[in-house]
Amino acid sequence: MIVRTVVFAVLLLTVAVIETSVLPFLPVPGLTPDLLLLITMAVALKDGPQAGLRVGFSAGLLADLLVAQAPLGSATLVLTSIGGIVGTARPYLASQSITAPLVLAFLTGAIGTAAYGSLSLLLGEDRVTWELLATSALRVGLFNTLLAPVALVGIGRLVARFPMGSGGGEP
Amino acid sequence: MYQRRRIRILIGILLFVALLLITLDVRGGGDGVLDRLRGTATGVLQPVQDGFSTLVRPLGTATDGVRELFSLRSDNAELRERVEDLEERRRVVADLERENRELQGLLDLEERLQFETVAARTVALAPSSFEWTITIDVGSNDGVARDMPVIAGPGLVGRVIQVTPSAARVLLAIDPNFSAASRAARTGEIGSISGRGSDPMLLQPLEPGADIQRGDEIVTSSFAGGVFPGGIPIGVVADEGDTTARLTRSITVLPYVDFTRLHHVLVVLSAPVEPVPPLEGTPGIPFEPPPISPDQDDTDDMDDTDDTDEAPEDPAPPEDLGNADDGSSP
């Protein structure tokens, strides 16, 4: 259990650094996926709500610490909710389906980004406009869908190598 | 059943903690414990981010090079660079000439533009789609402090909003939370400029009927104790706005800096300009309000004021207040 926790902590830190330091410098214009959200979705889909909640909370807290202006806790709230919702919905999805995870990646990317932006807007961040909210949500949803197969395969191998302990959250 | 209850309790606890964090951060303002926690996280991750960006940057550069080779753009890029260099010289010369006339030789122009700076590299961009900030690899150990201006080759980049010993976070000029005192380089008309994200910047002149035209260059102004030294190029007027029947006038300005390609920047270490104190409060300078004669009407008073030469021995006027004098000269 401790090894799994350490592995996922290192994974989240690496993903956060890649998102802020690597993707902006790649020669792909407008490349703005939300990798932390994608990881949260993939873990919740593979391991259920309890793992999704934990990873979502940690990923959200990390994202909150790396932004300067939005209230700390906004991303935590959104990613924890995404992890919980996807994990809870897991038994209702066809386990061998290829399209379901892709659709889920698009929906979580778009809805998560829109929810984060709306929350910022409600908390007085007037730099967020509805137009920006819509374009960002669509763009993140699209890029997350493109990267979903890689994330799902990678997370699948990781959770198989480091399964949850006996007190895990298998529904 | 037990598992479901356990998950519900976990959901409740985690969401409560998230809401608690939001409440604490919103109520704590900009200098609370959570803000310091953010500063610490930035300081810890900055070396790792620096390493990653150093590894990736050559890849982007190499790809750009190959692309330019195949599309025969190298000659074009060189010529554009020369044009940009000449344009920049022309802009600087125009602004310096105007300042020279305004200040009547009292200030050395070269000295005014020789800022003390420290060079920095961009190591990270904001992970959010809703804020325009960058993280740079210099901090308080290099003399960087909050509110210091940040510039790049073409002009103003933004200002420092968070500092750690080895890194700093910069609010870009296009962020909607950014605003600065500015003036038109050609006429000296002053106003306030603010960012609008991916849209062009917005300039609101102090006087709605100000003589600002399309193509005019906008530079920073130290008017009213602004945090920026005067004369840093910001952008060029794209739309001069509607001047009729409006109390305020909105002018769109295209920034000179390409904020999507910020690799190297300079942090201006010069202290922000202090606001000019009111004359009444200045020790050693006697101030008496002008006498009002009861047997003269308002019109006469105004005429007398205009004609009198009994102005007190003012210290040198602030930079932008001299514009009015200059505007009346041919």
Side-chain angles (χ1 to χ4, degrees):
Chain A
M1 193 69 178
I2 294 173
V3 176
R4 178 186 159 99
T5 306
V6 171
V7 166
F8 273 94
V10 171
L11 173 71
L12 291 179
L13 273 173
T14 309
V15 164
V17 170
I18 288 173
E19 192 172 326
T20 55
S21 306
V22 176
L23 296 185
F25 298 107
L26 290 179
V28 182
L31 182 63
T32 53
D34 192 332
L35 297 182
L36 290 171
L37 201 154
L38 189 60
I39 296 294
T40 302
M41 192 259 334
V43 172
L45 203 59
K46 295 287 181 188
D47 260 355
Q50 196 167 333
L53 285 167
R54 286 176 180 167
V55 170
F57 183 82
S58 310
L61 200 57
L62 195 56
D64 277 329
L65 289 173
L66 288 174
V67 299
Q69 296 184 82
L72 198 146
S74 309
T76 310
L77 188 67
V78 171
L79 292 193
T80 306
S81 305
I82 293 281
I85 291 168
V86 172
T88 308
R90 186 177 74 129
Y92 305 103
L93 299 172
S95 58
Q96 298 302 319
S97 170
I98 297 174
T99 51
L102 296 181
V103 172
L104 208 55
F106 179 80
L107 288 178
T108 52
I111 293 172
T113 306
Y116 176 73
S118 304
L119 195 58
S120 301
L121 198 62
L122 287 173
L123 292 170
E125 299 294 329
D126 54 0
R127 62 183 178 276
V128 181
T129 62
W130 292 111
E131 187 185 350
L132 177 65
L133 204 66
T135 53
S136 300
L138 284 176
R139 208 162 49 190
V140 172
L142 188 68
F143 278 116
N144 275 16
T145 310
L146 292 174
L147 294 176
V150 180
L152 286 165
V153 170
I155 293 296
R157 287 184 181 171
L158 211 58
V159 298
R161 177 77 178 81
F162 303 100
M164 290 189 77
S166 55
E170 291 292 328
Chain B
M1 193 58 140
Y2 172 72
Q3 285 291 346
R4 282 186 184 175
R5 189 178 171 194
R6 194 173 167 182
I7 288 167
R8 279 180 195 160
I9 292 171
L10 187 62
I11 289 176
I13 291 172
L14 294 183
L15 293 185
F16 174 74
V17 172
L19 289 170
L20 189 67
L21 286 173
I22 293 174
T23 308
L24 288 175
D25 196 29
V26 170
R27 290 197 173 185
D31 296 314
V33 178
L34 297 178
D35 199 57
R36 286 200 293 276
L37 191 65
R38 276 178 164 160
T40 307
T42 305
V44 169
L45 282 180
Q46 182 269 331
V48 186
Q49 291 174 319
D50 194 9
F52 269 83
S53 61
T54 305
L55 284 174
V56 174
R57 193 172 279 131
L59 181 66
T61 309
T63 312
D64 283 346
V66 172
R67 195 183 299 154
E68 287 186 2
L69 187 69
F70 278 104
S71 60
L72 298 175
R73 283 175 58 189
S74 57
D75 289 341
N76 194 11
E78 189 181 340
L79 288 172
R80 282 185 182 182
E81 197 175 320
R82 285 186 63 188
V83 169
E84 188 181 341
D85 187 36
L86 291 171
E87 282 289 318
E88 187 180 340
R89 284 188 190 179
R90 184 187 62 78
R91 289 194 298 266
V92 171
V93 166
D95 190 38
L96 291 181
E97 283 176 352
R98 187 195 59 74
E99 283 190 333
N100 199 8
R101 288 196 304 273
E102 284 178 1
L103 300 174
Q104 299 173 350
L106 291 178
L107 296 172
D108 183 349
L109 299 178
E110 286 183 7
E111 193 175 321
R112 279 178 55 80
L113 289 180
Q114 279 180 358
F115 302 134
E116 186 187 350
T117 60
V118 59
R121 280 192 314 157
T122 306
V123 295
L125 277 72
S128 160
S129 302
F130 307 115
E131 74 174 38
W132 288 263
T133 59
I134 56 172
T135 305
I136 55 176
D137 64 349
V138 295
S140 54
N141 288 343
D142 306 285
V144 175
R146 263 180 90 149
D147 287 335
M148 283 183 169
V150 180
I151 57 176
L156 184 68
V157 170
R159 66 180 165 86
V160 175
I161 58 169
Q162 190 180 47
V163 184
T164 67
S166 60
R169 192 165 279 161
V170 179
L171 183 71
L172 298 181
I174 53 173
D175 189 287
N177 282 345
F178 179 93
S179 69
S182 59
R183 60 183 156 88
R186 183 177 60 85
T187 60
E189 296 283 3
I190 54 176
S192 172
I193 193 164
S194 54
R196 290 195 302 173
S198 46
D199 292 331
M201 299 176 78
L202 189 68
L203 170 67
Q204 291 188 312
L206 202 61
E207 172 61 46
D211 178 17
I212 299 177
Q213 297 171 2
R214 186 174 178 179
D216 278 357
E217 187 195 23
I218 305 300
V219 298
T220 58
S221 167
S222 54
F223 176 71
V227 297
F228 298 103
I232 301 174
I234 299 174
V236 63
V237 173
D239 182 2
E240 59 197 56
D242 187 6
T243 58
T244 58
R246 294 274 177 94
L247 293 177
T248 59
R249 182 176 164 200
S250 298
I251 298 170
T252 52
V253 175
L254 290 174
Y256 287 133
V257 173
D258 182 358
F259 291 93
T260 61
R261 290 178 181 273
L262 279 176
H263 291 168
H264 296 88
V265 295
L266 292 173
V267 182
V268 179
L269 299 178
S270 315
V273 179
E274 292 292 333
V276 180
L279 192 58
E280 303 96 295
T282 308
I285 300 180
F287 176 79
E288 291 179 6
I292 299 172
S293 175
D295 53 356
Q296 286 180 314
D297 59 15
D298 292 341
T299 311
D300 291 336
D301 283 343
M302 289 175 67
D303 290 340
D304 288 348
T305 308
D306 287 341
D307 293 336
T308 186
D309 289 324
E310 294 176 2
E313 292 181 4
D314 266 357
E319 171 199 340
D320 293 294
L321 296 180
N323 296 338
D325 295 333
D326 186 62
S328 64
S329 61

